[in-house]
């Protein structure tokens, strides 16, 4: 085998390897937050953000007089509330809301927080802030 043929094969293999690495590390086109739980997990609340149509889901886990509350917050020094979704059930069910009217910007990071709440009271047992990319 001559040097020119070896060089061409090596270059092809390196290029293909680089393409595989770039493809494997590229971010997904639509991101999700994953499930997040209030601090009293597994008895409180859980929530989820799905990038397609900006769907936010709040789930009450247990019938206990509390409801689930999911908050979407800006990921900057001011941490402003963008919107929130409350599960209107106290029975282990979920409420999903299409929040495309808020149009979270694709590729921008936000925070999600999951709490439980009673009507007329402040949220409690809130999870920590989890950063995700819309």
């Amino acid at each position: 085998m001559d040097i020119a043929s070896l060089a061409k094969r090596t270059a092809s293999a390196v290029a293909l390897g680089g393409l595989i690495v770039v493809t494997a590390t590229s971010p997904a086109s639509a991101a999700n937050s994953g499930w997040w739980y209030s601090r009293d997990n597994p008895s409180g609340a859980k929530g989820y953000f799905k990038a397609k149509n900006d769907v936010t889901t709040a789930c009450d886990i247990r019938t206990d007089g509390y409801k689930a509350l999911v908050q979407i917050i800006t990921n900057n020094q001011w941490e402003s509330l963008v919107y929130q979704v409350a599960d209107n059930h106290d029975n282990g069910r979920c409420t999903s809301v299409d929040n495309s009217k808020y149009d979270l910007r694709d590729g921008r990071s936000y925070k999600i927080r999951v709490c439980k709440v009673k009507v007329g009271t402040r949220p409690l047992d809130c999870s920590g802030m989890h950063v995700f990319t819309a």
Side-chain angles (χ1 to χ4, degrees):
M1 179 181 294
D2 65 354
I3 301 292
S5 295
L6 182 60
K8 283 182 184 178
R9 288 185 182 177
T10 303
S12 296
V14 169
L16 181 59
L19 179 61
I20 291 169
V21 170
V22 169
T23 303
T25 59
S26 296
S29 60
N32 302 316
S33 71
W35 284 105
W36 288 90
Y37 296 82
S38 57
R39 271 192 323 210
D40 62 338
N41 178 35
S43 63
K46 66 181 180 177
Y48 185 86
F49 173 83
K50 184 176 180 183
K52 183 174 181 177
N53 297 326
D54 293 344
V55 174
T56 304
T57 300
C59 301
D60 175 60
I61 296 174
R62 187 176 82 189
T63 303
D64 58 1
Y66 291 92
K67 297 179 182 190
L69 179 70
V70 175
Q71 298 176 321
I72 304 298
I73 300 158
T74 58
N75 185 25
N76 56 31
Q77 67 188 33
W78 301 284
E79 292 186 338
S80 303
L81 180 67
V82 178
Y83 64 86
Q84 59 187 14
V85 173
D87 179 23
N88 295 322
H89 309 285
D90 178 27
N91 59 2
R93 293 180 39 201
C94 299
T95 299
S96 291
V97 177
D98 173 348
N99 289 300
S100 57
K101 66 182 176 183
Y102 296 103
D103 193 23
L104 298 186
R105 296 182 69 175
D106 292 344
R108 183 173 282 182
S109 63
Y110 294 88
K111 295 179 181 179
I112 185 171
R113 182 170 85 156
V114 180
C115 308
K116 63 182 193 180
V117 66
K118 280 189 178 183
V119 175
T121 65
R122 298 181 66 116
L124 60 113
D125 288 329
C126 294
S127 67
M129 300 278 197
H130 168 69
V131 177
F132 69 95
T133 303

